[in-house]
């Protein structure tokens, strides 16, 4: 995830996507990774994939909030 964050900050979303996808293989319920992946897709103009990732991030964030309470 950290490498993806660095690449996204350096405005290299295409390269960041592969790192975020690998991070999701390890922890598919990490809402922050879904959010960052959505940002990558949005930056590249792939609004449909960005929307899916944002929705996944929201779903997992909501679930983690419920479990924590």
């Amino acid at each position: 995830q950290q490498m993806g964050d660095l690449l996204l900050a350096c405005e290299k979303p295409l390269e960041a996507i592969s790192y975020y996808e690998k991070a999701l293989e390890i922890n598919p319920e990490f809402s922050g990774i879904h959010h960052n992946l959505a940002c990558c897709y949005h930056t590249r103009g792939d609004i449909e994939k960005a929307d899916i990732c944002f929705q996944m991030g929201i779903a997992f964030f909501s679930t983690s909030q419920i479990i924590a309470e």
Side-chain angles (χ1 to χ4, degrees), residues 1-13 16 20 36 40:
Q1 177 192 348
Q2 292 175 344
M3 188 61 157
D5 293 344
L6 178 64
L7 289 166
L8 183 58
C10 291
E11 299 181 10
K12 296 184 177 189
Y20 287 133
N36 293 350
C40 291

Side-chain angles (χ1 to χ4, degrees), residues 6 35 40 55-56:
L6 178 64
H35 175 269
C40 291
Q55 295 301 321
M56 294 286 289

Side-chain angles (χ1 to χ4, degrees), residues 20-44:
Y20 287 133
E21 288 176 343
K22 288 177 186 174
L24 285 175
E25 289 176 13
I26 296 167
N27 188 356
E29 296 183 9
F30 191 146
S31 63
I33 298 171
H34 286 284
H35 175 269
N36 293 350
L37 189 55
C39 291
C40 291
Y41 285 126
H42 185 268
T43 300
R44 300 205 65 234

Side-chain angles (χ1 to χ4, degrees), residues 48-67:
E48 188 173 323
K49 282 187 179 179
D51 184 54
I52 292 168
C53 291
F54 275 128
Q55 295 301 321
M56 294 286 289
I58 291 168
F60 286 123
F61 180 78
S62 298
T63 302
S64 66
Q65 291 297 101
I66 292 168
I67 291 170

